[in-house]
Amino acid sequence: LLTILCLYYSAKTNKIIFTLFAGISVGVLLELHYINLVFLPIFGLSIFLLFPVKKAILNLFVGSVGILLGDSMFILFEIRHGFPNTRSAFEFLFRGSTVSPRSNNISSLFEDTTRMLYDSSFGFRGLGIKLLEIFSIGGFVFWISGQLKKRDSWPKIILLGVWFVGGIMGV
């Protein structure tokens, strides 16, 4: 949430310091668990959708510096101890998962992951989870339709859309 908020303020105020803070928060996320690597492409895509190309490249560089700052304690730990976590992450990525998806259909996987997200977050089952899914996505679409005419709302729409869809697709 801090990353999204900082990216929003960076786009709204055109102050690059907020992109640095967003990068630091992503770096801290990476330090918490390597599953958060999913946020790196989401972070980069958000920057390229929020800024014109030249500003996006500068913001991406500053954000990358922030990521290195936020992740610096983990990087130092890895260097000191011979990269044990990095090796296990690569082993997991290249060995593959023992769990295979129930379907190769992207929309089915998206719905399945969304359902699991709502189930684990709110504890609903069956019809309750389907209603929550419909109302939350419907509410988001309704909110977006009201925001489309406002030029200053585009950063909000871009960030929420990219982070929601990218986060679910990453999981």
Side-chain angles (χ1 to χ4, degrees), residues 22-139:
I24 290 171
S25 68
V26 170
V28 170
L29 276 175
L30 295 177
E31 202 166 315
L32 296 174
H33 200 281
Y34 55 80
I35 192 71
N36 292 321
L37 286 168
V38 73
F39 292 119
L40 290 177
I42 296 171
F43 181 72
L45 180 62
S46 297
I47 288 175
F48 274 103
L49 290 175
L50 286 172
F51 299 99
V53 175
K54 286 184 182 180
K55 284 187 180 181
I57 292 170
L58 177 63
N59 276 278
L60 194 59
F61 174 75
V62 170
S64 298
V65 169
I67 289 170
L68 290 174
L69 287 173
D71 201 30
S72 60
M73 293 296 117
F74 178 73
I75 293 169
L76 291 174
F77 173 87
E78 287 290 290
I79 291 169
R80 172 124 166 73
H81 293 88
F83 301 96
N85 295 306
T86 304
R87 283 194 312 242
S88 67
F90 276 115
E91 182 182 324
F92 174 77
L93 287 172
F94 294 115
R95 181 188 65 207
S97 173
T98 58
V99 179
S100 62
R102 288 189 278 179
S103 170
N104 288 329
N105 181 335
I106 195 78
S107 64
S108 173
L109 287 172
F110 185 81
E111 183 178 340
D112 227 20
T113 306
T114 305
R115 182 189 47 75
M116 288 186 287
L117 170 73
Y118 285 134
D119 182 26
S120 63
S121 298
F122 303 110
F124 291 128
R125 304 241 186 257
L127 181 61
I129 201 164
K130 195 62 165 172
L131 288 173
L132 180 64
E133 183 180 352
I134 290 168
F135 283 118
S136 64
I137 292 174

